[in-house]
Amino acid sequence: MTKLPAPRPATPSIPLAAALAALAFTPFVEGAVVLSNFSAVSGGNTAPFYSNATNGHAVQITTGAGANWSVSSISILAGLVSGSASFQIWSNNPSTGSLLGTSQTLSQSGTTKTFTFSTPVSLTGNTTYWLVLNTAGSGANSTWWTYDPDASPSTSAFGWSQGSQFATTNSFATWSASSARNYLSLEIDATSGSSGVPDGTATALLLLPGAALVGLGSRRRRISPA
C-alpha cells in the first residue's frame, strides 16, 4: 500500500493575525495643540493688554481646512491682577456674531492660564471665529494678556491662523479694530473630527477581514497535501 506523503508543517501565522488584531483595536489619538505662538511672546519685546469691566480684547482665528474641530481648551500668557476671567468663542466679531461657548472662570495667579470648556466647542473647518478674554461685569477686575509688538501672524502645521484683533472700551457693548494689532498669545487645544485618520472602530472594520483571511489561508495549508 502506497503511503501518503507526510503533511507539510503549517506555516506559523498566529503572530501576524495577532498583530493585525492588536492594530485593529489600537486607538488613534487625534487631539493636538493646533495653534500656538507662545514662543513669539515668551520674552524680548513683550507688553500687556489690560481687560477689566469696561475694556476687553478679542483675536480673530481661522480654523484649518478639510475637517471639523472640537475645541477643549484655550491657553494664554496672562496675569490676573484681581478678580477673575473666562474665555469665549464667537461665530463672528463679538458685536454681530453668536456666542458659541464660554469656558470655566479662572482667578488664580500665574503666567499661563488654561481656560477649559465643560463641553467642547464644535467649529467648522476653514472658518473664521473670534476668541474673547471675557471680563465683562467683573467690577474692578483687571487682567493682562501678553502680546508681542514685533510678532508676525501665526499659522500652525494644522492650517489654523491668527489674524486681526478687536478691542472694546464700552463694557463689551461694541467692538472695533484694535489700534495695536500685535498678536496676542494663544494656544488652542482641539481635536479633528474628520481628518482622514481612522479611529479604533474604523480601523477594526478595515483590518478584521484581513485577519480572517490570514486565518483561513493557514487552515487551508494545514489540510492540503504537499
Side-chain angles (χ1 to χ4, degrees):
M1 180 175 178
T2 304
K3 291 184 178 180
L4 293 174
R8 179 185 300 171
T11 303
S13 59
I14 293 177
L16 178 58
L20 285 170
L23 180 59
F25 293 101
T26 300
F28 286 77
V29 179
E30 297 180 29
V33 173
V34 297
L35 175 64
S36 177
N37 67 344
F38 277 10
S39 61
V41 295
S42 59
N45 190 18
T46 61
F49 276 135
Y50 284 92
S51 294
N52 50 42
T54 57
N55 301 312
H57 296 276
V59 60
Q60 183 189 63
I61 293 296
T62 300
T63 58
N68 294 324
W69 300 87
S70 180
V71 178
S72 57
S73 67
I74 297 173
S75 298
I76 64 174
L77 299 182
L80 288 161
V81 179
S82 62
S84 59
S86 61
F87 221 86
Q88 296 178 337
I89 301 179
W90 290 75
S91 62
N92 202 331
N93 79 66
S95 292
T96 60
S98 299
L99 178 60
L100 303 180
T102 300
S103 77
Q104 67 182 133
T105 299
L106 297 181
S107 59
Q108 75 268 27
S109 60
T111 56
T112 300
K113 301 290 182 295
T114 298
F115 298 89
T116 301
F117 296 89
S118 58
T119 300
V121 181
S122 297
L123 303 182
T124 303
N126 198 30
T127 302
T128 296
Y129 297 91
W130 286 85
L131 309 184
V132 180
L133 178 63
N134 180 40
T135 51
S138 53
N141 183 22
S142 182
T143 302
W144 58 261
W145 185 0
T146 300
Y147 73 97
D148 186 350
D150 300 323
S152 298
S154 179
T155 301
S156 78
F158 295 86
W160 286 54
S161 60
Q162 183 173 345
S164 302
Q165 293 170 197
F166 269 30
T168 182
T169 57
N170 59 358
S171 302
F172 294 72
T174 59
W175 294 77
S176 59
S178 170
S179 60
R181 294 181 179 240
N182 291 322
Y183 303 104
L184 295 163
S185 67
L186 273 175
E187 188 168 271
I188 302 166
D189 192 341
T191 300
S192 170
S194 55
S195 64
V197 179
D199 62 14
T201 303
T203 308
L205 293 174
L206 290 172
L207 292 184
L208 280 179
L213 288 175
V214 170
L216 180 59
S218 173
R219 182 172 180 273
R220 284 176 176 170
R221 282 193 295 271
R222 290 191 184 98
I223 64 174
S224 299

